[in-house]
Amino acid sequence: MTSRVYQYLATISGNIAAIVFGITVSWVSPVVPILVTEESTLPSGMISKDEASWINSVTCLGAIAGNFIFGTLVDRIGRKWSLFLLAIPHAISFSLILVAQDANYLVAARAIGGIAGGGLFVVVPIYINEISEDRIRGRLGAGLIVSDNGGILIGYVLGSYMTLTTFPYVVLALTAIFAGTFLFFPETPYYLLLKNRPAEAEKSLKFFRGIKEDVKGEALSSLTVEFEKMKSLISSSGSKEYSVTIKDFTNRTTLKAIFISLVLLMGTDFCGIFAIVTYTTGIFREAGSSLSPNTSAIVVASIQVLGSYVSTWFVDRSGRKALLIFSATGTAVCHTALGAHLFLKAQGVDMSSYGWLPISALSGAVFIANIGVNNLPFFMFAEFLQPKVLGFLATGFLFISWITAFLVLLYYTYFVENFGMFSCYWFFAAFCFFEALFVLFFVPETKGKSFEAIQEALAGGRRRKPAQPPTVYTIN
């Protein structure tokens, strides 16, 4: 009998790195507003607003560098060791915070933490996709955003109740736990086949399926079928055959997979959630929430964790497509309502009796977006693409995504000042409505499907009957 225990354990261990990055993202929210005042705890004293802006935004630039660094490593040294090496920039980042003397230390810490984040979103989806069974692939993949959101919430709490010279110890301990546990999990079977190491690949597959070396019967037969399908998808004839060429991107199915992946990943930026998390305090201050800005921020972060957790339960039950459509539509409705509230307030209408609306609309948007549009795309692109080109394209996808996120954050304040905050949320709403229609008409369902079946769906064909032999994909 097979077991999924090691698939879950490897996912949990790897996602500790995502928790650490979530803390990297959010600790500045409660801390930086204090550093720009005379209450600053830095030895150099208070920092300037320009320095604060760099501390807030430089993580995105670090993430772009991380995309390229780990996008190269993931195909050179493997999925496992690339993921394991995330511990190094994480450890350096929080060590710099621990010994920070002035703003330059914090800028460097955020940039290096961004490198880890850029690598995280390249490597973790690939690793989890390549070790997971079809039936639970969605649940395990969705764990990345649950962990990242959990880290964001932890970062709010640590930054609010601990000092710069104490909370880094907590994060360094988490980093040590990640490195110490993940070290014992093997490389993915797909990568080992790509490197022409079939015996190690079979051993890895047995490990992740919980099958002992001497097992016989139905469990062994099932594993043999799965392993043969893997080998049929991957040529193991040497490094020359393994190199990615332009020919790998010219077929219609791959081009369609690239287009769908890009649109879905753009949705994670234009659904507005990253802007909400970054500017939560200012949004609630502008909207006139009935709760204090800091309390509101913690409420929103908690709801974000809940939404992404709910996604893990439904993604392999209702499917990716239904969740994406529901999530995009629901998020759009919430943004529309918030935009209307902000518009009426800007026109001088007394909205004091509707102080509950901003936190309700934002909480609803954050919860619903994390069920689908802000969550699923980060592992769905790994379902669409062949293992040979996955590392290369993941680097490109996430480079575009981080650039977009950086521009959204950079111009958010400018847009608000010139067109009103309500315009931002109506724009986010419009994109979400567009994404719902895009998913309805262009995105195939991937729930419980093998890679072969997903490729057939992308090509517009029908799934083969079980009696027919599987298609053999040859890498030229």
Side-chain angles (χ1 to χ4, degrees):
M1 178 178 290
T2 61
S3 172
R4 298 168 177 168
V5 170
Y6 291 116
Q7 295 172 60
Y8 281 104
L9 290 177
T11 300
I12 292 169
S13 176
N15 278 327
I16 295 174
I19 294 174
V20 175
F21 179 65
I23 298 171
T24 299
V25 169
S26 64
W27 69 263
V28 294
S29 182
V31 171
V32 170
I34 296 174
L35 297 181
V36 296
T37 69
E38 294 181 357
E39 297 179 9
S40 173
T41 57
L42 285 173
S44 62
M46 63 185 293
I47 66 175
S48 69
K49 290 185 177 180
D50 286 341
E51 289 172 329
S53 295
W54 274 104
I55 293 170
N56 283 329
S57 61
V58 75
T59 301
C60 291
L61 298 181
I64 292 168
N67 284 342
F68 288 105
I69 294 169
F70 285 90
T72 300
L73 291 176
V74 76
D75 285 330
R76 295 285 181 87
I77 66 173
R79 287 47 163 149
K80 172 189 173 175
W81 291 111
S82 296
L83 182 48
F84 177 79
L85 287 177
L86 292 176
I88 295 176
H90 276 320
I92 294 173
S93 175
F94 285 93
S95 295
L96 283 172
I97 297 171
L98 192 61
V99 299
Q101 300 296 307
D102 55 37
N104 292 327
Y105 283 77
L106 301 183
V107 170
R110 292 273 290 170
I112 294 170
I115 291 173
L120 179 83
F121 285 96
V122 171
V123 183
V124 171
I126 296 175
Y127 186 86
I128 293 175
N129 182 69
E130 293 184 358
I131 68 169
S132 305
E133 294 178 38
D134 295 337
R135 279 184 160 186
I136 61 170
R137 188 177 61 240
R139 182 182 300 176
L140 296 184
L144 170 63
I145 301 300
V146 177
S147 303
D148 184 48
N149 289 341
I152 289 172
L153 176 58
I154 294 170
Y156 280 139
V157 175
L158 292 180
S160 297
Y161 298 104
M162 299 181 73
T163 67
L164 282 175
T165 56
T166 54
F167 86 79
Y169 286 114
V170 177
V171 190
L172 289 171
L174 281 174
T175 303
I177 292 170
F178 157 65
T181 56
F182 192 74
L183 183 64
F184 295 98
F185 293 100
E187 182 56 82
T188 73
Y190 272 106
Y191 180 80
L192 292 169
L193 283 174
L194 284 170
K195 288 299 186 181
N196 197 19
R197 293 150 63 182
E200 293 177 62
E202 185 176 9
K203 185 177 180 180
S204 171
L205 184 62
K206 285 182 176 179
F207 175 86
F208 285 116
R209 299 301 177 263
I211 296 177
K212 296 180 180 179
E213 291 293 330
D214 58 348
V215 74
K216 296 180 180 179
E218 184 180 344
L220 182 60
S221 299
S222 176
L223 181 133
T224 301
V225 170
E226 183 179 5
F227 190 60
E228 288 303 315
K229 285 183 178 180
M230 286 185 179
K231 290 197 294 186
S232 74
L233 293 172
I234 298 174
S235 170
S236 0
S237 55
S239 59
K240 182 179 178 181
E241 306 299 332
Y242 173 70
S243 60
V244 176
T245 66
I246 191 66
K247 188 177 180 180
D248 296 310
F249 308 104
T250 55
N251 73 79
R252 185 176 179 181
T253 301
T254 300
L255 288 173
K256 185 176 180 181
I258 292 171
F259 177 62
I260 290 173
S261 299
L262 281 173
V263 173
L264 294 182
L265 282 169
M266 289 302 94
T268 65
D269 298 314
F270 290 131
C271 70
I273 302 306
F274 197 21
I276 289 172
V277 170
T278 304
Y279 294 103
T280 300
T281 301
I283 294 169
F284 282 116
R285 186 178 292 113
E286 173 74 17
S289 170
S290 55
L291 295 178
S292 71
N294 287 338
T295 302
S296 299
I298 292 175
V299 169
V300 168
S302 301
I303 290 172
Q304 185 168 242
V305 175
L306 179 61
S308 53
Y309 180 73
V310 168
S311 176
T312 67
W313 285 100
F314 285 98
V315 67
D316 283 324
R317 290 176 171 83
S318 62
R320 283 64 151 160
K321 189 163 184 170
L323 278 184
L324 284 171
I325 293 171
F326 167 77
S327 177
T329 304
T331 304
V333 170
C334 291
H335 284 327
T336 301
L338 178 60
H341 176 92
L342 292 167
F343 175 77
L344 292 172
K345 188 172 184 292
Q347 301 306 306
V349 178
D350 182 10
M351 302 297 291
S352 58
S353 59
Y354 297 94
W356 54 269
L357 181 57
I359 192 168
S360 298
L362 274 185
S363 298
V366 168
F367 177 78
I368 298 172
N370 277 282
I371 289 177
V373 294
N374 197 47
N375 186 345
L376 306 188
F378 287 108
F379 74 86
M380 285 184 68
F381 73 76
E383 295 184 308
F384 291 136
L385 298 165
Q386 293 196 35
K388 181 183 179 184
V389 298
L390 185 52
F392 178 84
L393 286 175
T395 303
F397 289 160
L398 291 164
F399 169 75
I400 295 171
S401 181
W402 279 110
I403 285 287
T404 305
F406 176 72
L407 293 175
V408 168
L409 295 182
L410 184 65
Y411 288 106
Y412 176 87
T413 303
Y414 171 84
F415 204 87
V416 167
E417 290 176 351
N418 288 273
F419 302 101
M421 189 178 287
F422 59 88
S423 299
C424 290
Y425 290 93
W426 282 345
F427 170 80
F428 294 146
F431 191 92
C432 288
F433 279 126
F434 158 76
E435 185 172 355
L437 292 173
F438 178 82
V439 172
L440 179 63
F441 292 109
F442 292 101
V443 179
E445 180 57 75
T446 62
K447 182 190 80 169
K449 291 183 179 179
S450 65
F451 178 77
E452 181 189 36
I454 293 171
Q455 293 296 292
E456 290 174 358
L458 285 168
R462 295 182 178 178
R463 191 173 180 176
R464 288 179 174 83
K465 296 179 181 179
Q468 292 179 305
T471 300
V472 176
Y473 292 81
T474 303
I475 298 178
N476 297 317

